[in-house]
Structures are given as C-alpha cells and as structure tokens.
Amino acid sequence: MAKIGRNTPCPCGSGKKYKKCCLLSQNGAIQSNSQPTKFIPVYTELDQLSNSVMDLIKNDKLDEAEAVSKRLLNEYPDQIDGFERFGQVYEARGEKQVAADYYQKAADFAKIMPGFDQESVEYYLSNAKKMRK
C-alpha cells in the first residue's frame, strides 16, 4: 500500500486534505486500558475556508467558491490551498486551461515548500496534465 502524504487530497474523494479527513478517523480513537478517548479535530480558519470551497462547488456556487479561493491566496500565501481550490473551481466551470494553470502552480508550490512529498507534486502535475488534454 502506497503511503499517502498528509497534504495530499484525501483518497476518499471529499476534496479535503488527507490530514483533515481520513487520517483523523484512522488515528481518531486512542485506545487505553480504561475507556477509549476520541480525538476531536480542531479546525483553523484556513481549514474552514478551504473546506467551504468544496461545499460551494458541490452546490454549484462557483462565484462564491472563486471568491473564497481568492481569499485563501490573499490571506494564506504560505499555504497551497488557494492554488488547489482555484484549480477545482475552474475545473468545475469547465475552464480546463485555467484549472491546469492553477494545478501547475500548486505543483510548483509543493516542490519548494516543506511538508510536501514527491507524490503530492505528482498529484498536482497529474491534474494539470488531465486538464490540458
């Protein structure tokens, strides 16, 4: 089984990062000799904004999703979320070339920032290539 990077999109298809989705449920229950303790995730404003883009896309509120993506880029320039979410918004709109450009920017970001593995870079490059077909 291949290792999943914490910052890669979750393989369950939720659109959330793996570390904020299924990784939590895998690591969520901490067993002890007495009663199990459930891990309760704490979401930051960044997480909430980023995840809200996926909800907006699913509800076909693409102008709002674009506005939140812009906010992500402006308020969190040291995070990949804005590039990734913009790619998803433009993909949902059918603007494949623009989506490809944002996925490429996400890949370039992942190449130079700590916390991203080669699998993450390849994921974004794969999305960019898919949009360019």
Side-chain angles (χ1 to χ4, degrees):
M1 186 170 169
K3 181 182 176 193
I4 301 170
R6 290 175 44 81
N7 287 308
T8 59
C10 192
C12 76
S14 68
K16 298 176 184 177
K17 291 182 183 181
Y18 177 62
K19 69 183 179 185
K20 296 293 182 185
C21 191
C22 288
L23 178 63
L24 293 174
S25 62
Q26 289 176 355
N27 294 333
I30 303 167
Q31 301 296 326
S32 67
N33 291 339
S34 58
Q35 294 184 8
T37 304
K38 183 169 175 145
F39 174 79
I40 299 172
V42 176
Y43 292 106
T44 64
E45 182 181 19
L46 168 63
D47 298 323
Q48 292 170 352
L49 284 173
S50 187
N51 292 340
S52 74
V53 174
M54 294 309 299
D55 295 333
L56 291 166
I57 290 171
K58 287 178 186 173
N59 291 313
D60 201 30
K61 296 181 178 182
L62 301 180
D63 290 340
E64 291 176 52
E66 182 178 10
V68 175
S69 297
K70 183 176 183 176
R71 187 172 164 199
L72 284 166
L73 274 181
N74 290 333
E75 294 180 21
Y76 300 96
D78 60 339
Q79 300 296 319
I80 199 167
D81 299 60
F83 296 122
E84 180 180 13
R85 296 305 188 219
F86 258 127
Q88 292 167 328
V89 168
Y90 284 106
E91 183 176 354
R93 283 191 169 143
E95 296 181 37
K96 293 183 176 186
Q97 185 58 49
V98 180
D101 292 344
Y102 276 105
Y103 287 133
Q104 181 66 53
K105 289 177 184 183
D108 295 342
F109 183 93
K111 286 178 188 176
I112 61 169
M113 295 300 283
F116 294 94
D117 56 15
Q118 187 59 33
E119 188 176 338
S120 298
V121 173
E122 290 171 11
Y123 170 80
Y124 294 117
L125 290 174
S126 166
N127 282 348
K129 183 178 179 181
K130 180 176 76 172
M131 292 294 107
R132 289 189 177 110
K133 287 184 178 182

